[in-house]
């Protein structure tokens, strides 16, 4: 993690589940089953706790006794000034910049209740390699993202395929909770998550934001 990223992005890690249209559509049938019987109409949020923080070139521990571990390529939005009840039109004025997040998780059973046990293991949220100022990112809603395992492309998508834009997310979340300077929004991981094993190298690239590298190690 670069010094500027460490200094600017010290707050809460707020994740958004189901924010890629492809993933949302894949799960649509189960949303109509009991007990909910309809898809979520607001962003489905989860928190990555402080113990999950990790960095570029950091090791991600594959916990003993778990069957599967999955990296999650995501655009990270670093809040630059407090946002409370902001409109979508003004939302991007509150962004300091953008970075890459690897939202590591065990496979999830329910998107309505993302499991703390699946998402909040030590080191399960690498961020980096740096903070790219918002002024240098022309459109955060049109960025290609790619996941490589041991140099092989395994996942690719584009933030243009998100259900909600960065501005919409900030507006909807800040309706009920203040986003503070230093908070990071993890804007969602696309469909097609892959499994990794101890010994694997994971690289995530996002257009204009560089490459975040992590190494999977056995517990």
């Amino acid at each position: 993690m670069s010094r500027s990223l460490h200094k600017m992005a010290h707050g809460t890690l707020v994740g958004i589940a189901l924010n890629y249209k492809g993933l949302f559509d894949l799960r649509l049938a189960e949303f109509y089953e009991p007990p909910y019987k309809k898809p979520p109409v607001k962003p489905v949020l989860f928190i990555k706790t402080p113990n999950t923080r990790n960095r570029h070139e950091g090791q991600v521990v594959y916990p003993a006794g778990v069957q599967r571990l999955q990296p999650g390529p995501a655009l990270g939005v670093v809040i630059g000034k407090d946002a409370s009840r902001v409109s979508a039109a003004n939302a991007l004025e509150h962004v300091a910049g953008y970075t890459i997040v690897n939202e590591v998780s065990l496979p999830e059973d329910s998107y309505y209740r993302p499991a703390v046990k699946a998402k909040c293991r030590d080191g399960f949220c690498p961020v980096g390699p740096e903070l790219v100022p918002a002024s240098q990112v022309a459109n955060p809603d049109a960025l290609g993202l790619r996941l490589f395992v041991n140099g092989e492309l395994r996942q690719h998508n584009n933030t243009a395929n998100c259900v909600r834009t960065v501005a919409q997310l900030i507006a909807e979340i800040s309706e009920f909770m203040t986003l503070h300077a230093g908070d990071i929004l993890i804007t969602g991981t696309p469909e097609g998550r892959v499994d990794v094993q101890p010994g694997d190298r994971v690289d995530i690239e996002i257009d204009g934001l560089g490459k975040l590298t992590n190494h999977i190690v056995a517990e």
Side-chain angles (χ1 to χ4, degrees), residues 75 92 95-98 132-144 159 165-167 206-209:
L75 172 67
L92 294 185
V95 174
Y98 301 92
V132 177
S135 59
Q136 293 178 25
V137 178
N139 182 2
D141 304 306
L143 300 176
T159 57
T165 65
V166 171
I206 298 183
D207 294 347
L209 304 184

Side-chain angles (χ1 to χ4, degrees), residues 2 8 24 53-54 61 107 124 141 143 149 151 156 160-161 195:
S2 70
M8 297 287 292
F24 191 90
R53 282 183 173 269
N54 205 332
V61 174
F124 266 26
D141 304 306
L143 300 176
V149 180
H156 62 93
N161 296 320
D195 293 352

Side-chain angles (χ1 to χ4, degrees), residues 179-194:
L179 293 168
H180 291 290
D183 289 350
I184 305 178
L185 289 186
I186 306 165
T187 59
T189 55
E191 66 278 10
R193 278 201 168 195
V194 301

Side-chain angles (χ1 to χ4, degrees), residues 148-164:
F148 299 85
V149 180
N150 302 323
E152 180 190 346
L153 180 64
R154 299 293 303 278
Q155 213 178 347
H156 62 93
N157 215 303
N158 194 293
T159 57
N161 296 320
C162 284
V163 175
R164 291 173 175 84

Side-chain angles (χ1 to χ4, degrees), residues 86-143:
V86 300
S87 68
N90 299 330
L92 294 185
E93 295 170 14
H94 296 262
V95 174
Y98 301 92
T99 191
I100 304 171
V101 177
N102 184 357
E103 197 275 288
V104 182
S105 182
L106 309 183
E108 294 163 90
D109 295 326
S110 169
Y111 280 91
Y112 275 100
R113 293 197 206 101
V116 170
K117 211 170 168 182
K119 291 193 165 291
C120 296
R121 306 284 180 114
D122 292 351
F124 266 26
C125 197
V127 178
E130 59 187 335
L131 174 71
V132 177
S135 59
Q136 293 178 25
V137 178
N139 182 2
D141 304 306
L143 300 176

